[in-house]
Amino acid sequence: MTEEQAKELLQKYLDQQASPQEQKKVEEWYATLQSKDVALSADRKAAIGAQMFAHLQVAMQEKPKPVKVFKLQSFIRIAAAVFLIITIGISVWKLNTKVAPENQVTVVTGNKQQKRITLSDGSVVLLGPSAKLCYPKAFASNSRHIALKEGEAFFDIAHQEKRPFTVHTSAGVDIKVLGTSFKVKSYQANKQLEVAVVTGKVAVSNQKGNLATLVKDEFLTYDKNDGRAAICKIKASAFIEFAFDGANLNQVITKLQYVYSIKILLNDITLGKLKTTASFSSKQSPEEILDIICSLHHLRFNASKNHKTFNIYR
């Protein structure tokens, strides 16, 4: 039975138009509700609460009707109906958002083995020895979630602004990014978890909230016992290669902004259509890369005093 069909049946029950068989079915449903364990996220609770509040506002604005004797039986019927509608809605939502087991992939490496994994969005994961990674064959339309159950991994994440990427760890720490590269070290036998950012920016959080926002060359250690995080600067020991094969200048700028945490502006929007074919490494400075790109298109650029904002012009 669909959620809509269930609501129709409940309305018939409330209007006392349901057949004896239909009444029995609703009452059997209600009798089993208390035995169900329904887990809700904070976002879902807020959404249900907002929806119920909206219904109450509508009800309060309706014209008052003649007073009727309110029987206890009517109250039980309404309570059962509301509770059942919410429960059915939650169940349908859980079914629609749950990742099917057959869509999950689990990769485990040996104690001397490394693996390179390319995800469905083009992101790349370099899995270290004695590691375990779980990820879906295809990501959802509005988010990307994977789980590093054990070990060490280097992530080079494809930039997709409307689909944030989150790495969940067994330590209860999540790393959320839009498009960047970073390293996570999380062994269950170790009391510390480590996150090192090579390019871009990541947000690290646990169940209590945000722990830190890390940028390029920053390193975080998290103590699993007391839940404390410490941040320090490091000299990046890992680099990424990124290539452009006929990409337009807007796409190139987007990538460079996330790799180096900088801002690049075009003084003429038509420049964004220029095509670029070249390969670079994060070992290179943004100035060096921009110099090459501008030379290809006979353009020029200048930088702000802090070298965080660049302007490209003819």
Side-chain angles (χ1 to χ4, degrees):
M1 180 178 292
T2 65
E3 184 178 358
E4 191 61 35
Q5 290 173 328
K7 288 180 180 178
E8 290 178 4
L9 177 56
L10 286 169
Q11 189 59 53
K12 288 177 66 178
Y13 182 83
L14 290 171
D15 295 339
Q16 299 185 5
Q17 295 178 357
S19 67
Q21 293 82 2
E22 290 172 332
Q23 290 180 21
K24 183 179 179 183
K25 190 169 188 177
V26 172
E27 288 163 2
E28 286 176 349
W29 281 348
Y30 183 57
T32 62
L33 287 178
Q34 294 183 353
S35 63
K36 292 184 180 293
D37 181 17
V38 180
L40 277 178
S41 67
D43 290 344
R44 188 58 184 170
K45 287 179 180 177
I48 291 174
Q51 188 177 26
M52 293 179 69
F53 181 69
H55 287 315
L56 283 173
Q57 283 184 315
V58 173
M60 290 169 66
Q61 291 171 2
E62 291 180 351
K63 294 181 179 180
K65 296 179 179 179
V67 179
K68 293 182 178 180
V69 178
F70 193 77
K71 298 180 179 179
L72 181 60
Q73 183 182 11
S74 299
F75 175 78
I76 294 173
R77 286 174 178 271
I78 293 172
V82 172
F83 190 28
L84 191 56
I85 288 173
I86 293 175
T87 304
I88 292 172
I90 292 168
S91 301
V92 172
W93 172 75
K94 290 179 74 177
L95 287 173
N96 289 337
T97 56
K98 187 177 180 180
V99 178
E102 60 269 18
N103 188 41
Q104 285 290 312
V105 178
T106 300
V107 177
V108 179
T109 57
N111 57 5
K112 294 183 179 180
Q113 185 183 21
Q114 293 184 333
K115 281 190 178 181
R116 177 189 174 93
I117 302 164
T118 302
L119 305 177
S120 62
D121 64 339
S123 298
V124 175
V125 181
L126 302 177
L127 204 57
S130 303
K132 182 179 180 180
L133 182 75
C134 297
Y135 62 93
K137 292 178 182 177
F139 289 114
S141 60
N142 59 353
S143 63
R144 296 173 288 173
H145 293 268
I146 67 173
L148 180 63
K149 300 290 188 179
E150 177 75 3
E152 186 174 343
F154 178 81
F155 300 87
D156 184 10
I157 306 303
H159 171 65
Q160 293 185 8
E161 190 171 352
K162 295 183 179 180
R163 285 207 300 175
F165 193 104
T166 304
V167 178
H168 304 279
T169 68
S170 56
V173 172
D174 298 334
I175 301 98
K176 184 177 181 179
V177 303
L178 291 177
T180 186
S181 57
F182 58 98
K183 185 178 181 181
V184 180
K185 187 175 181 181
S186 177
Y187 289 96
Q188 294 186 28
N190 293 354
K191 73 171 186 175
Q192 283 192 331
L193 174 144
E194 300 173 1
V195 180
V197 178
V198 178
T199 61
K201 182 188 297 184
V202 306
V204 184
S205 62
N206 61 8
Q207 294 177 348
K208 294 182 179 179
N210 187 57
L211 292 170
T213 299
L214 307 177
V215 296
K216 185 177 183 292
D217 297 344
E218 284 190 334
F219 181 84
L220 175 143
T221 56
Y222 174 79
D223 192 306
K224 299 176 185 177
N225 295 331
D226 60 21
R228 293 184 181 180
I231 305 169
C232 61
K233 275 281 186 180
I234 60 167
K235 185 175 180 180
S237 57
F239 301 94
I240 64 166
E241 305 290 332
F242 47 98
F244 304 106
D245 186 8
N248 63 48
L249 193 53
N250 283 329
Q251 293 171 324
V252 174
I253 286 173
T254 298
K255 181 69 175 179
L256 293 177
Q257 287 182 142
Y258 275 91
V259 168
Y260 293 101
S261 296
I262 58 176
K263 188 173 184 179
I264 304 173
L265 305 172
L266 296 174
N267 77 329
D268 184 351
I269 59 173
T270 61
L271 298 180
K273 298 179 181 179
L274 297 173
K275 302 294 184 180
T276 300
T277 299
S279 297
F280 303 105
S281 166
S282 61
K283 292 180 182 180
Q284 298 170 275
S285 68
E287 288 89 346
E288 183 181 349
I289 294 174
L290 288 175
D291 187 51
I292 294 171
I293 291 173
C294 288
S295 297
L296 290 172
H297 298 297
H298 305 290
L299 301 174
R300 290 180 290 176
F301 77 94
N302 57 37
S304 61
K305 290 183 179 180
N306 62 0
H307 293 269
K308 289 294 184 182
T309 302
F310 298 86
N311 291 282
I312 297 177
Y313 57 95
R314 289 192 185 276

